[in-house]
Amino acid sequence: MAGCVTNFDNTTDYFPAKVQVDDATPAPEASKFSNTTVFFNIPVQNVALLATTAVSYLEMLGERVAIKVVDTEWLVSSPCVQLGLEKGEIISLEDTNMTLRTNQLKSIDLIFSSYASDPTTANKTVITSDVDDPGPLNVSLVLFLLTK
């Protein structure tokens, strides 16, 4: 296949420039942002996934433990997340009882979704695109929010 890598050295770091995030970095000065700007503590401890594609992001970052709630759990292909659902470590988001759904999301720090957020969770929802390449800016946002 043209364009595919067929020869590489697995002992070579082809991406030597790494991003370093300091946990002690202070929050930006809120007065420099609009009143609707939301700041997240990093790393995020409790995440809800309303889009199954976000499972892979968290797993690649080694942050699967942050997943607390998933929607459309039957579409999640990760065996580790499926095991978490079986053990009750991860819960399935309620679809019909809106009061229960709201309560399930109260302790969540950040919600990844591929569609518009509910007004009660708008200040903690990150909308991602499941059908388009998210581009480097959106990928870096995910990495920034979840990196220790």
Side-chain angles (χ1 to χ4, degrees):
M1 280 195 231
C4 292
V5 175
T6 57
N7 186 12
F8 69 96
D9 179 359
N10 64 358
T11 63
T12 300
D13 184 356
Y14 292 100
F15 303 98
K18 306 287 189 252
V19 174
Q20 186 68 33
V21 178
D22 182 1
D23 286 336
T25 302
E29 191 176 323
S31 64
K32 294 182 178 182
F33 297 88
S34 75
N35 291 341
T36 59
T37 302
V38 177
F39 299 96
F40 296 98
N41 291 323
I42 300 170
V44 177
Q45 301 296 315
N46 301 299
V47 176
L49 304 177
L50 279 54
T52 58
T53 52
V55 170
S56 299
Y57 298 151
L58 290 163
E59 288 189 319
M60 286 190 296
L61 291 167
E63 293 294 336
R64 184 183 317 110
V65 70
I67 302 172
K68 305 299 183 203
V69 177
V70 295
D71 197 11
T72 60
E73 68 282 353
W74 61 91
L75 296 176
V76 176
S77 60
S78 165
C80 295
V81 172
Q82 289 295 336
L83 182 61
L85 285 159
E86 286 177 27
K87 290 182 169 183
E89 297 165 351
I90 300 171
I91 61 171
S92 175
L93 187 62
E94 176 61 39
D95 287 328
T96 56
N97 182 332
M98 292 300 112
T99 302
L100 178 54
R101 182 183 178 100
T102 299
N103 286 334
Q104 288 175 319
L105 295 174
K106 277 186 180 174
S107 64
I108 297 299
D109 303 319
L110 181 64
I111 299 169
F112 285 101
S113 180
S114 60
Y115 50 88
S117 61
D118 179 295
T120 63
T121 61
N123 66 342
K124 57 183 175 181
T125 301
V126 174
I127 308 292
T128 61
S129 174
D130 294 343
V131 294
D132 295 328
D133 179 353
L137 182 59
N138 288 329
V139 170
S140 66
L141 171 65
V142 170
L143 292 173
F144 178 74
L145 289 173
L146 300 172
T147 306
K148 293 180 183 176

